Amino acid sequence: MKALSFVGINQKEVLDKEKPTVQKSTDAVVKLVKTTICGTDLHIMAGHTPEVPEGLTIGHEGIGIVEEVGSGISNFKVGDKVLISCITSCGKCHYCKKGLYAHCEDGGWILGHLIDGTQAEYVRIPHADNSLHHVPKGMDDDSLVMLSDILPTGLEIGVIAGQVEPGCTVAIIGAGPIGMAALLTAQFYSPAKIIMVDIDDNRLEMSKKFGATHTVNSKNAEEAIKEIFAITDDLGVDVAMEAVGYPQTFDICQKILAPGGRLANIGVHGKSVELHLEDLWIKNISISAGLVSTNTTPMLLKTVESGKIAPNELVTHHYHFNDMLEAYKTFENASENKALKLIIDFE
């Protein structure tokens, strides 16, 4: 089978690999129908996650058809159409019992990170009973792919961790796919203002379509901070979400918090940041960071099925898997290509 693989820092290649098979009774093998490229994949390519071995198949999102199941699988059968969770959960360990699937002792974020992932024609899913979801009939395929990772990540690590509540003021730093997912799901809680902050005017304009009440271009960070304070009557924001993973964007977040505010870090950081506790200690703020557990995926499936949100609108480009390297070029140069989320089709 063909598989997009990490072969060294800033190097990727479509390799011929053996089709995966069931290795344990709790495994399933899924034939991919659609996948996508995540910003985390770019972090891997840049060498920010050195634990990723060379030759590993990248990708942790997608939908497909069950091709093979282990003897211990009871929730799925061959031929079922499924949503692949970016997080693998055994459902039995200490952390899974707490709903913290991100830290499953025999799973967590392993797809496209520690074991071969979904940017391939087939993928092996460990603990499939807990790591796959049945697809509601008639549901849009592109929307489903957004539920593998970005929708639950935006909701759990941004909105819920940031304690978004009715009437509050939210700033989301980074109008990429994760930031837009946080924007969509923040509206479940009726904040009064949602300020989208980015250096890409095209993405800022798109964010208005998805519900942003204000937009701020942050090419000049100090001017952007002043503008955010002007929007908030010099109070600052109740919730600042960092959705990029750079020291500069984290710095904006810590400087715009109102007293009692919450900084929810969603971005994947490859470098350390400077935390200004000398300014923050007295402001009664809280900071959260973490990896998605996808425990909200069943709820999000119902929400998307009902039409309350339409995450397929985040998709700007479609490519066939045969053009995977071209798709990466588009995503790596998202600004000039006006790209947000790409769908990779296998059929």
Side-chain angles (χ1 to χ4, degrees), residues 80-160:
D80 283 348
K81 188 175 182 180
V82 292
L83 165 68
I84 300 168
S85 174
C86 66
I87 297 297
T88 300
S89 165
C90 75
K92 299 178 180 179
C93 72
H94 171 76
Y95 293 109
C96 285
K97 290 291 188 182
K98 295 170 65 175
L100 199 59
Y101 308 144
H103 296 281
C104 172
E105 293 172 5
D106 193 38
W109 175 38
I110 56 176
L111 283 177
H113 180 212
L114 302 177
I115 67 171
D116 283 340
T118 59
Q119 290 175 19
E121 293 172 300
Y122 296 88
V123 63
R124 180 180 68 90
I125 305 295
H127 301 296
D129 269 346
N130 298 301
S131 307
L132 298 174
H133 299 269
H134 287 285
V135 170
K137 289 183 178 179
M139 194 164 167
D140 176 76
D141 282 353
D142 288 0
S143 289
L144 284 165
V145 176
M146 303 302 106
L147 291 172
S148 279
D149 181 359
I150 66 167
L151 259 292
T153 294
L155 176 59
E156 294 173 28
I157 308 303
V159 177
I160 295 174

Side-chain angles (χ1 to χ4, degrees), residues 156-178:
E156 294 173 28
I157 308 303
V159 177
I160 295 174
Q163 301 173 44
V164 175
E165 59 189 3
C168 75
T169 298
V170 177
I172 301 172
I173 316 303
I178 288 290

